[in-house]
Amino acid sequence: MRTLDHTHDPHARSWIESANSSTTEFPPQNLPFGVFQADGLPRVGVAIGDQVVCLGTLAEAGFFNDSLGVAIHDHVDLTGLMSLSVAERRALRHELFQLLTDPQSRLATDSRLRQSALRSIDQVQLLKPVEVGDYTDFYASLYHATNVGSMFRPDNPLLPNWKHLPIGYHGRASSLVVSGTEIRRPNGQLPPAQEGGAPTFGPCRQMDYELEVGAYIALGNRLGEPISLADAEDYLFGITLVNDWSARDMQRWEYQPLGPFLAKSFATSVSPWVVTMEALAPFRGPAFERSLDDPTPLPYLQNDTNAKTGGIQLQLEVSLLTEAMRQQGLAPHRLSLGSFGNMYWTLAQMLTHHTSNGCNLQPGDLIASGTVSGPTRDSRGCLLELTWDGEYGKPVPGSQRTALKLPTGEERLFLAAGDEVLIRGWCEHPERRTIHLGECRGQVV
Ligand code: MN
């Protein structure tokens, strides 16, 4: 677990004035990494206020020690940084914090260097931060699993394994796309209209999003060498917003017995910025409090540190902007507001379970949490749940679905052409500077 230090001081200010604004997403306490395009080349950068600082330019100007310089320079994405040890990652944060908060730092005082290293975020194209090798999606919200289970298997919503292990499936890394990429409605097999009938092939009619949080893996492990829960946090680099686009009709037909396949693999969006575990240190808190009749996890999946600090206090919001709203100049309409603190399993437990059979993870691999849903209707993280007439685990008799009403008078059970889904996330605490994860958006075409 990362410790608090001077880089979390809520009073720290940057000489970049936009980073001190009360509304900035990227104050000096945050320092998320991303990849942007400048002069035709992908470059590794860190966000501060409304600016992005090119780390490659700083490395060329003699900043950073050798291993940090190589990690930045020899890669076109963040995989190099994700190969660094915890101590090296902390050293990099400290060096960047000093450069960006000390008005006497060489970056602050050398105007030529400043001009070549700093760009306005508005003026650059943000790229996918990592060429992910492997992507795994979990199913770690008790509320989501119970709600969805109640729809698909009313008599048996939560399968007997669910509270004993973080359920997951292998996702598709090749179709991960950065926020802003258009999402094409997939074609696929749709379930028969009545039981015993034949399926049809055509455009998905129940297009949905899933609000999720992703974690990028640092360091990785050798094949055959599991990562213990005590060590798991060192192997987490940072977190990002994820939208696991889902074709619900295709999913319902194909998911048994081996889990989701084409209903998920057509696209998954990720946000451009990666907020490090170091930046999240002030916002760690208890893991989900299990009810007394829940089973105790097996020893490899539990320890005191994880129970006390394995959670992340992160607020998550989903908004929708339809074509008609866009034409009428309306702001995106909030669909839900939830908390990552509602997840039954922690990221460390997911990582430990993933490697418990000896499976090797590599730097830059992505694990996603599964849909983040809470106990209330307005904290449900996908349309499948938001339009379902049931409370957590309890369907309303005689009722199935109620469409969401939008400010234009439009209604939605699932996504329509032109709909844009926007996910935002932030960590706030009364005694801390609020830090944001940025935005993950995608429009269905
Ligand atoms: Mn998912």
Side-chain angles (χ1 to χ4, degrees), residues 157-192:
L158 217 53
L159 295 173
N161 55 10
W162 200 91
K163 287 183 173 174
H164 293 279
L165 53 83
I167 300 286
Y169 68 94
H170 288 292
R172 184 77 198 166
S174 65
S175 52
L176 289 166
V177 295
V178 73
S179 172
T181 307
E182 289 185 340
I183 305 300
R184 273 197 220 182
R185 180 185 298 269
N187 286 319
Q189 276 205 23
L190 309 178

Side-chain angles (χ1 to χ4, degrees), residues 90 111 162 329 358:
R90 189 191 307 121
S111 64
W162 200 91

